[in-house]
């Protein structure tokens, strides 16, 4: 038995030794002459912040509770967070038995720190609310918008302000502000951290003041990240090819202002700090904001100051984390071609130090990150891209993956599966690369629910950290003209999966995925589903026809004209087409040639009548109806619909019963609201009531409460809302306007869910007349798809931009007339919209009047 145990110990020693031999070899052979592409996407940027512990300062406190406190802290610092929670829970009970209210509060704050370390942010948030005697609230109410949202927050802030100042209050508020940042309630996080800062000042506590400034800086940095994400471009060739790449294009506008404010707060935190550790943390975080604003000379000057103090802080888990954060920022500084940046060898040594410290203190997450990025650095050695270099890179990446899998950290594991796929692809191993990329996508699927529970902007930037994995896998599957049916089906499933993941990222929730019958199996024999996929230098198109094998077409994209610029120009020229027909036609025909021309002969041969598009990226910004072949618009040949994903919205026919419509609209100017009056809404509602059985709410009658009440009265198959509204990449800014308030997407979902309890039949059609996509928001059109999926209706009809309300009234009248015609009971919603658009096309030659209408979801 003794001999066996010795063997085990030797094996463990050899494994550990091998890990650090790899690190040592990597550091020694990283070349200082590395050159990197300038446009790259950001490496992992963990936010450095030191945890705070509260121990008993009450001499009368129960000695057993104090001992449990200290034992819990030792376990926390050893990385045994679950065990620390158990001991602090025991301490809490002991303090309660000793009637020590402060001790109970301290224990809860410590428990919350450990829960955050475990990633259990909602539970940590609830624990902190209990520490402040606000147990009647739960964190879900604080982070989900509803009509009582602001009232709850104001009440909470008032209670905090009235409570007496103490260190418990300072640290508790700071912890709550941190956890709210993790839960993406950045505005409330900011307000609570300001309260913590002001309380620290009142107590004359420089240590707590600097810690509050550090946390507040982190929240402003998160605000910059979120704002930048909403403005992110859909140009695929700017996406990263690997996890280690950095983006070196400076943030502008609102994101820049947030990053600059974060920089100021970090400077203040460093100035106020009485601790070298906090000083270093603040300066490292500040370094990342300087990179975001392209202040390279200032960043170069900051690095030597940080370096001079690094050796003065004690070795700990937090130090390993700090070294990792520093190495990540130095990588981006080096990739920005800064003249005085540290050498690649120095950066590799910093990663190696982080890995060594993390291993020493049992922090496998940080160790995995450090080794994975060290493997990434090694893979960049372009001047010696030989088999040995790639082997070292793969070995380090595999070690990082093994560490992540050992602790079931799937959110890290996918990064190294992605990196392995990239390395294998560069070695010409397409089969191995596809296998690694597939594992990465499967990992992302497995953590979709976890991602919805925490802040995407803190853990991931979707465009930079998730989307490339899907696209690179599709790229590999479709690289050759000889892609098999198996390859095509897999590529289609992957792009469907990307659509679902993107919507979940937008909506911050886990969506229910179904298993729809593919169109080629005959669910609609006259429909074709078209998947256009935008890759770096080409447009891939997969076409699904009833009863047919999948078709695949590939079209090269012009290097002279950026594809996103072409789509954006077409969008703008169509919106302004009242004055110039020829200009938009040129762009419309260019997009038609790329998107439709390769498939048009197959469509004609198979008698297709309806086209359903699963649109990718920037293509969501334009209505397919406006595409032109030189003689006719696409809407003149086909009924059209858009589906965010057939996994979410499978086709289903309208019930063969008389339409029952709940129609609500506002034609008058709403007091205190900037939107103009919509006088033709009155005619729109009248026309609907003339052709379908309807209940109408007009102007002051259309309140949030009245809408909810009427929806619950009868089994309406259609809900028609003719009012101002907006689709945005932010759920809170995706709304419709009732007379008394905005109703955002989450409130609309709740309203319709309440209706479903009383009227179990799903609403077949939600019409949002007069709504539009948010100006300046690159992902705003995704908000329309988000509404279609989030509120649980089968189909949504809406507009991409503001339409003349006379045209809207005319189109809606024709749409309902066709849809409710008893002699044509088999007409689909897509065909009814086609009929209405053609009616306007005959009257108005400019597509700005009729093209903006988009049918999303179930087209039948």
């Amino acid at each position: 038995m003794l001999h066996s145990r010795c063997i085990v110990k030797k094996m463990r020693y050899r494994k550990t030794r091998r890990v650090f031999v790899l690190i040592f070899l990597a550091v020694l052979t990283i070349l200082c002459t590395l050159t990197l592409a300038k446009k790259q996407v950001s490496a992992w940027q963990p936010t450095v912040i030191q945890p705070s512990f509260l121990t008993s300062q009450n001499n009368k406190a129960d000695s057993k509770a104090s001992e449990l406190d200290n034992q819990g802290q030792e376990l926390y610092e050893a990385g045994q967070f679950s065990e620390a929670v158990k001991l602090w829970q025991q301490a809490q009970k002991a303090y309660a038995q000793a009637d020590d209210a402060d001790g109970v509060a301290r224990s809860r704050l410590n428990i919350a720190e450990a829960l955050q370390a475990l990633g259990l942010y909602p539970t940590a948030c609830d624990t902190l609310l209990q520490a402040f005697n606000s147990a009647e609230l739960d964190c879900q109410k604080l982070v989900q918008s509803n009509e009582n949202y602001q009232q709850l927050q104001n009440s909470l802030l008032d209670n905090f302000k009235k409570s007496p100042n103490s260190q418990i209050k300072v640290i508790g508020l700071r912890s709550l502000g941190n956890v709210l940042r993790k839960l993406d309630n950045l505005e409330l996080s900011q307000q609570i951290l300001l309260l913590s800062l002001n309380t620290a000042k009142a107590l004359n506590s420089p240590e707590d003041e600097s810690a509050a400034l550090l946390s507040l800086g982190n929240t402003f940095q998160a605000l910059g990240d979120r704002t930048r994400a909403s403005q992110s471009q859909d140009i695929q060739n700017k996406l990263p090819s690997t996890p280690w790449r950095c983006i070196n294009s400076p943030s502008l506008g609102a994101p820049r202002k947030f990053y600059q404010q974060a920089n100021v707060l970090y400077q203040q935190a460093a100035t106020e700090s009485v601790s070298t550790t906090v000083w270093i943390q603040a300066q490292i975080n500040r370094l990342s904001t300087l990179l975001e604003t392209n202040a390279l000379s200032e960043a170069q000057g900051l690095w030597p100051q940080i370096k001079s103090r690094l050796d003065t802080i004690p070795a700990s888990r937090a130090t390993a984390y700090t070294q990792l954060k520093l190495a990540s920022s130095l990588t981006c500084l080096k990739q920005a071609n800064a003249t005085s940046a540290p050498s690649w060898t120095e950066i590799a040594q910093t990663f190696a130090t982080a890995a060594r410290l993390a291993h020493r203190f049992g922090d496998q997450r940080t160790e995995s990150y450090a080794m994975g990025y060290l493997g990434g650095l090694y893979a960049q050695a372009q001047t010696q891209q030989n088999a040995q270099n790639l082997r070292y890179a793969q070995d380090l990446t595999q070690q990082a993956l093994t560490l992540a899998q050992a602790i079931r950290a799937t959110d890290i594991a996918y990064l190294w599966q992605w990196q392995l796929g990239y390395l294998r692809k560069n070695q010409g191993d397409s089969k191995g690369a596809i296998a690694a990329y597939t594992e990465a996508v499967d990992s992302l699927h497995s953590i979709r629910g976890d991602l919805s529970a925490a802040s995407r902007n803190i853990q991931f930037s979707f465009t930079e950290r998730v989307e490339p994995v899907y696209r690179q896998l599709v790229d590999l599957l479709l690289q050759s003209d000889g892609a098999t049916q198996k390859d095509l089906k897999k590529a289609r499933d992957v792009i469907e999966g990307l659509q679902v993941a993107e919507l979940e990222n937008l909506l911050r929730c886990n969506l229910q995925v179904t298993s729809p019958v593919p169109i080629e199996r005959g669910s609609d024999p006259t429909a074709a589903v078209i998947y256009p996929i935008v890759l770096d230098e080409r447009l891939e198109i997969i076409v699904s026809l009833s009863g047919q094998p999948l078709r695949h077409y590939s079209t090269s994209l012009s290097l002279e004209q950026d594809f996103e610029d072409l789509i954006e120009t077409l969008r703008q020229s169509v919106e302004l087409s009242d004055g110039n027909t020829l200009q938009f036609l040129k762009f419309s025909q260019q997009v038609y040639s790329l998107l439709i021309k390769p498939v048009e002969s197959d469509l004609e041969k198979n008698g297709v009548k309806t086209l359903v598009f699963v649109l990718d990226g920037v293509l969501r910004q334009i209505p397919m109806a406006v595409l032109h072949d030189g003689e006719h618009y696409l809407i003149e040949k086909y009924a059209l619909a858009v589906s965010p994903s057939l996994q979410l919205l499978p086709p289903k026919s309208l019930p063969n019963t008389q339409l029952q419509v709940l129609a609500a609209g506002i034609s008058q100017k709403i007091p205190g609201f900037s939107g103009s009056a919509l006088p033709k809404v009155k005619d729109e509602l009248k026309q609907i009531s003339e052709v379908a059985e309807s209940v109408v709410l007009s102007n002051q009658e259309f309140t949030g409460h009245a809408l909810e009440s009427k929806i619950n009265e009868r089994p309406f198959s259609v809900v028609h809302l003719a009012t101002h509204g907006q689709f945005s990449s932010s759920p809170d800014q995706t709304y419709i306007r009732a007379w008394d308030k905005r109703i955002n997407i989450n409130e609309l979902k709740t309203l319709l869910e309440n209706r479903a309890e009383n009227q179990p039949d799903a609403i077949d059609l939600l019409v949002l007349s007069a709504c539009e996509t948010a100006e300046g928001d690159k992902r705003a059109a995704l908000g329309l798809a988000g509404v279609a999926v989030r509120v649980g209706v089968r189909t949504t009809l809406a507009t991409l931009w503001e339409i003349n309300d006379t045209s809207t009234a005319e189109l809606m009248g024709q749409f309902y007339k066709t849809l409710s015609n008893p002699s044509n009971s088999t007409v689909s919603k897509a065909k009814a919209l086609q009929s209405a658009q053609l009616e306007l096309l005959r009257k108005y030659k400019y597509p700005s009047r009729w093209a903006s209408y988009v049918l999303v979801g179930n087209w039948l």
Side-chain angles (χ1 to χ4, degrees), residues 14 34 147 183 266 274 398-399 451 494 515 638 640 713:
R14 288 171 183 168
L34 275 164
E147 60 184 270
L183 292 169
Y266 291 142
V274 294
Q398 185 61 57
Q399 291 288 342
L451 294 181
V494 170
S515 299
Y638 303 101
L640 304 173
E713 284 182 4

Side-chain angles (χ1 to χ4, degrees), residues 125-135 137-139 142 156 176:
C125 184
D126 289 338
T127 302
L128 288 166
L129 291 175
Q130 291 169 12
F132 281 105
N133 297 316
S134 298
L137 284 176
D138 62 63
C139 214
L142 287 178
L156 185 68
L176 182 58

